[in-house]
Amino acid sequence: MTEIKTFAPAYLQEAKTALKSAFYHEGSNEVFNEWEFAQTLLRSAGYLPELCVIALEGNEVVGYNALTKAEIGGRTGLALGPLGVRQEYQNRGIGSALVKECVRRAEESGYQWIALLGGDYYSRFGFESGKPYGITVSDNAFDNEHLQILFLDQTVKNRITGKLRYCDAFYDAEGNLL
Ligand SMILES: CC(C)(COP(=O)(O)OP(=O)(O)OC[C@H]1O[C@@H](n2cnc3c(N)ncnc32)[C@H](O)[C@@H]1OP(=O)(O)O)[C@@H](O)C(=O)NCCC(=O)NCCS
């Protein structure tokens, strides 16, 4: 049975292993990558401990997901990611469980939106393209079509517009997004 729990520093090494299994590829940046991110985030002002979760199978960390502080056009909300599930555990609903738990907690805490840069996977949770809302990314390395948003508060739907700015942990020393 998969258990979704709040991340704690004691799980750091295992969370990094899970993220590395999900994201590592030949040519991965050794310093600024998704698994080192989990460590950098602990020192970041954008870290929201209650919105950082892990998936456990038995006592083993097999997945990680974080919501961090973000801004769009100067308005506060959340950014999702990195989300990763250890390769051997993918396609068993663990990624979905991690996203749903984070969305539930964000709603409970009164946040109005969650943005992310990602693929088709997220539409199943209600994420939609940021394009119609004039939401852009803060870095040119990513095309706008990867930018997605989930409105937790429908009343802000047409009022959130402008550039998405992640918290500092997402940028390398040159200011490039992970
Ligand atoms: C993406 C990821 C987190 C999904 O976790 P998971 O536990 O395997 O996902 P679930 O079991 O909840 O969902 C599986 C479903 O998602 C689909 N899916 C998985 N990865 C997908 C992707 N990149 N794009 C679209 N759909 C995807 C599967 O085909 C499956 O579809 P089905 O329900 O129609 O059968 C996991 O595959 C992963 O860690 N991938 C590598 C890292 C990554 O790409 N992270 C997201 C960055 S944007």
Side-chain angles (χ1 to χ4, degrees):
M1 250 268 307
T2 310
E3 186 190 356
I4 307 295
K5 272 183 74 164
T6 304
F7 172 85
Y11 294 113
L12 180 63
Q13 289 313 320
E14 277 195 71
K16 286 172 78 169
T17 302
L19 284 169
K20 190 167 184 177
S21 161
F23 283 99
Y24 178 82
H25 59 85
E26 219 181 281
S28 287
N29 185 315
E30 287 183 22
V31 180
F32 295 100
N33 55 48
E34 291 80 358
W35 53 100
E36 292 303 335
F37 173 90
Q39 189 159 351
T40 311
L41 185 58
L42 292 171
R43 301 188 301 269
S44 166
Y47 181 45
L48 299 165
E50 286 302 316
L51 298 182
C52 186
V53 298
I54 49 168
L56 291 166
E57 284 281 338
N59 287 324
E60 188 182 13
V61 178
V62 297
Y64 174 97
N65 188 31
L67 297 179
T68 54
K69 277 186 200 163
E71 287 188 352
I72 293 176
R75 297 184 64 147
T76 302
L78 297 168
L80 185 148
L83 163 69
V85 174
R86 257 180 65 167
Q87 257 176 35
E88 319 87 275
Y89 288 88
Q90 291 178 4
N91 291 308
R92 298 187 192 179
I94 296 172
S96 298
L98 287 163
V99 172
K100 286 178 183 166
E101 177 60 12
C102 277
V103 169
R104 189 190 69 75
R105 291 182 182 201
E107 247 173 339
E108 204 174 77
S109 301
Y111 285 96
Q112 295 173 322
W113 53 266
I114 303 171
L116 60 82
L117 287 164
D120 295 343
Y121 180 63
Y122 297 97
S123 59
R124 69 187 65 209
F125 309 109
F127 282 85
E128 54 180 313
S129 169
K131 255 185 194 171
Y133 304 103
I135 302 167
T136 58
V137 276
S138 49
D139 192 283
N140 295 331
F142 289 87
D143 195 275
N144 223 355
E145 67 196 46
H146 296 294
L147 201 151
Q148 298 172 46
I149 186 158
L150 173 68
F151 292 102
L152 305 174
D153 176 351
Q154 298 303 313
T155 66
V156 300
K157 210 165 189 171
N158 290 301
R159 293 195 273 137
I160 302 296
T161 187
K163 272 193 178 182
L164 168 66
R165 170 77 200 174
Y166 282 88
C167 71
D168 290 348
F170 279 87
Y171 300 90
D172 69 15
E174 278 80 48
N176 299 311
L177 258 178
L178 260 187

